[in-house]
Amino acid sequence: MGCGARERGNYKKNDIVTVVIEDIGNDGEGIGKAAGYTLFVKDAVIGDLVEARITKCKKNYGYGRVEKVLRPSPFRVEPKCMFHRQCGGCQIQAMLYDRQLIYKQDKVKNNLLRLGGFTQEEVDGVMEPIIGMEEPWHYRNKAQYPVGYDKAGGLVAGFYAGRTHDIIANTDCALGAPENKQILEAVLSYMRENNVTAYREAEGTGLVRHILIRTGFASGEIMVCLVVNGKKLPAEDKLIERLREIRLNGREEESEPRASGSAVRQAEKFVPDSAAGSAGAMESGKRKLCKKITSICISANTEKTNVIMGKEIRVIWGGGKIHDTLGGITFSISPLSFYQVNPVQTEKLYRLALDYAGLTGRETVWDLYCGIGTISLFMAKRAKQVYGVEVIPEAVEDAGENARENRIDNVEFYVGKAEEVLPAFYKGAGTEEQMLRPDVIVVDPPRKGCDEKCLETMIAMGPGRIVYVSCDSATLARDLRTLCDGGYVLKRVRAVDQFCHSVHVETVVGLQRKDT
Ligand code: SAH
């Protein structure tokens, strides 16, 4: 359908226009104007002069995609991955890394201004420069690859093309652990050799849906989990055989997985100089680590859903968990538990959160949305008592085990929703001042941010400091407005680039109660 109207600059779908890209949109797309008509151009980099094809016209703006780069931006770089334009994962891989960081810093700042209603002075006064990554590749410790068929009917594993469920065959992602390629190929050859089918989403038939690979960067332990449309796989022993044959890093693998429980010792054995958790040592990439598969499991997911993992996990070989070490603390990680995906940056993030919490050893701290207790245990070393709250039971079990394994006994974890557990605790606390008023509350919610009830209770409890860790600066800005209207002021804000080459950014905020 043509656009026609004057406001649309007389453009219509499939028109080719020349656009100077002057800004970057929320999804990483370039923004520019053609004769005053604003266009959002996919895959254009700020500073480019491009020829774009219009893909959709709206009254006041339209969408397009790059046909030809007429004059490349100084911020345009050669992407590492040939699939980056099709794949939904790395929206800004063609942008110079340092420019990506500026984009993310601005994104957080603009959300605070526009969605949080903070003034320019308030924001400029507290915002510190974003923390980037020295080597922003192969940083992810977790990857979930869909398995299916290509157009010719061949078995493939890879990634969904942006906004679709078409699978692009790519076993060699530039963000994932380098070993993933060998592992994926081993699983695919097991499937071919044993006539194991891949899931066909449209019909709900076929077996293997996803391959989840999780790697403990400090321990070298790898978990491979196949998500299956059914309870079992044919010839599971052949799968185990195939995976155990792999020689990662060209080295011999140990013949048997170790029993879980000796995580600390194991981590020390493999990474002598990062047992103390030096992010620098990890980042320099100099550590010599023997990676090995220590866990193979099956997750049954027979639902017609976009949720990747099924609720039950069956371990078919090795232990059911892997381990990782951050800041000298070793964590057990179950397949279903949340664990930050970029361990190098996570350590920096947690140190920042700890710094913002301003602990002296006498404080009571709540860690809401605590996952497997990572932030709780970081804080516990410098606090009197820490309470963690998390909704996933398996994660809370991991949290308890992590506390015991690291011999940290001033932490207690509760299973439940933050917005239910915190108010219930507050009501039941009686008159005991320390329970009613903790010194610090840390929150690290999922993208949708904190529930209103949770924020209200935090304000009512009135801790001296609140540390807000966020993976979505839009909901962060909204929640900060509520907290600041409830008597808090922004003290420090800092973004950490956990998700290099994507448009996502992590932020840590320190708030203080006005009357303290
Ligand atoms: N702080 C942890 C986890 C952060 S991710 C870390 O850094 O590793 C957010 C966590 O919140 C997830 O573990 C998720 O399971 C949990 N969660 C989601 N909604 C919740 C709710 N309403 N109450 C408590 N936890 C919730």
Side-chain angles (χ1 to χ4, degrees), residues 336-340 346 349-350 367-376 389-392 395 414-421 442-451 454 469 471 498 506:
L336 292 175
S337 297
F338 174 89
Y339 185 64
Q340 297 278 357
T346 299
L349 178 78
Y350 290 168
D367 175 20
L368 308 179
Y369 312 88
C370 69
I372 60 169
T374 39
I375 296 180
S376 313
V389 182
E390 162 62 45
V391 76
I392 304 225
Y414 297 93
V415 185
K417 291 185 174 168
E419 59 272 24
E420 288 168 9
V421 173
V442 182
V443 295
D444 182 7
R447 282 193 199 155
K448 68 174 194 242
C450 293
D451 187 276
C454 179
V469 181
C471 56
Q498 292 269 83
E506 194 87 9

